[in-house]
Amino acid sequence: MMSFIIRANGDSFSVEPCQSQDSDSANAASASAKTSLAVTDYLIDSADRLLKLYVATDNDNPLYPALQQTRRYLLDDLDAIETPAEIYGLIHWLLRDQGIRVDGSSLEETADRLSDIDIAADSDQYTDIIFHLRDAVDRLYEMELDEI
């Protein structure tokens, strides 16, 4: 998974990728970032770390939009996410931000429901969310097959 640094600049935050070509370089960049981070900077080297920071952050905190931006990067590359719990966490956070209740439905059922709403309203209101839901379902299925 690609790592990110959320840098503080006063009351605003920016997200910077920690780009590297291989795992040794990634580990070195991660170690370097950890030692050079200011007290208010955050190294995001896993979805788990992002989710823990999200849980500890109020929605009105200036850090919250940077967390959402980092989530978008992770959702765009679900193949790099390591566990089903992280995928579910990212998706349920996305749904919560959009005011979408799951109410015990599976991710696939939720995608179908949102698709039906879009079709009935002749809109593309939920297109991005439906894409992420279907991508998550596919990735979870792949993970399940890998365990067999």
Side-chain angles (χ1 to χ4, degrees):
M1 183 190 118
M2 179 180 240
S3 296
F4 299 91
I5 297 174
I6 299 176
R7 293 215 185 268
N9 184 10
D11 284 341
S12 66
F13 293 86
S14 62
V15 179
E16 301 173 9
C18 293
Q19 297 194 2
S20 61
Q21 304 298 8
D22 57 46
S23 61
D24 290 338
S25 297
N27 291 336
S30 178
S32 172
K34 286 178 186 175
T35 58
S36 67
L37 290 177
V39 173
T40 55
D41 291 346
Y42 303 91
L43 175 65
I44 307 298
D45 57 0
S46 69
D48 182 59
R49 188 176 306 254
L50 177 65
L51 289 164
K52 286 178 181 174
L53 189 54
Y54 151 67
V55 168
T57 305
D58 292 330
N59 291 10
D60 59 353
N61 186 310
L63 172 62
Y64 197 77
L67 298 177
Q68 291 173 307
Q69 181 181 356
T70 307
R71 178 191 66 203
R72 280 191 296 274
Y73 292 140
L74 297 183
L75 286 173
D76 286 341
D77 188 19
L78 282 181
D79 288 339
I81 304 301
E82 297 178 14
T83 69
E86 292 170 336
I87 292 173
Y88 280 113
L90 293 169
I91 291 293
H92 282 280
W93 174 16
L94 173 68
L95 294 173
R96 179 183 166 269
D97 275 1
Q98 299 300 316
I100 298 169
R101 296 174 48 137
V102 177
D103 293 332
S105 299
S106 70
L107 297 182
E108 194 166 16
E109 291 167 338
T110 302
D112 290 344
R113 178 172 53 93
L114 294 176
S115 181
D116 290 344
I117 291 170
D118 266 0
I119 290 168
D122 194 24
S123 74
D124 291 330
Q125 178 181 358
Y126 298 114
T127 301
D128 289 338
I129 297 168
I130 294 166
F131 168 79
H132 287 303
L133 286 166
R134 298 212 188 279
D135 192 32
V137 168
D138 290 345
R139 177 66 176 128
L140 289 165
Y141 182 68
E142 287 172 13
M143 290 175 140
E144 190 177 299
L145 288 177
D146 288 345
E147 290 179 5
I148 296 177

